[in-house]
Amino acid sequence: HIDTNINSNTNNSNTMPAPRNIRNRTNKFNKNIAKRGNVPIGKAADHEEEEKKTSPVLIGMFLFLVVGSSLVQVMRLFSSSPNIPKDE
């Protein structure tokens, strides 16, 4: 008979103890459980105060492209307008 429950042998006295590195990681994880959500103010404040500033060069390029493309569109609009004959 093969038992399909994976955790059925955890209480078995014949199992080998976990290796030291696994025990250490488990203990470290269990200690961290109680600390979740209790971050010191110094560490939390450092992340919140960081502001991403936009470079003036980037703003200048964006304005150049927007204003330049609008000027080109206006020039194209007036240059392609049909010639209206003048009444003499």
Side-chain angles (χ1 to χ4, degrees):
H1 169 264
I2 297 175
D3 194 4
T4 58
N5 189 355
I6 295 174
N7 295 326
S8 65
N9 63 354
T10 55
N11 294 331
N12 191 354
S13 63
N14 294 334
T15 60
M16 294 179 55
R20 181 183 299 168
N21 62 348
I22 293 177
R23 281 194 314 261
N24 288 341
R25 283 188 275 159
T26 303
N27 290 336
K28 185 177 179 182
F29 177 78
N30 288 336
K31 288 177 186 176
N32 261 348
I33 294 279
K35 294 181 183 179
R36 290 188 182 163
N38 298 324
V39 179
I41 296 298
K43 290 182 181 181
D46 290 343
H47 294 293
E48 291 176 6
E49 292 181 6
E50 290 182 16
E51 294 182 19
K52 304 291 183 186
K53 295 185 178 183
T54 308
S55 165
V57 174
L58 203 61
I59 293 173
M61 283 178 41
F62 180 73
L63 287 174
F64 174 76
L65 287 173
V66 170
V67 172
S69 65
S70 63
L71 287 175
V72 168
Q73 288 295 327
V74 168
M75 289 172 47
R76 185 178 294 173
L77 176 71
F78 287 125
S79 69
S80 66
S81 63
N83 293 332
I84 300 174
K86 293 183 182 180
D87 291 336
E88 290 184 26

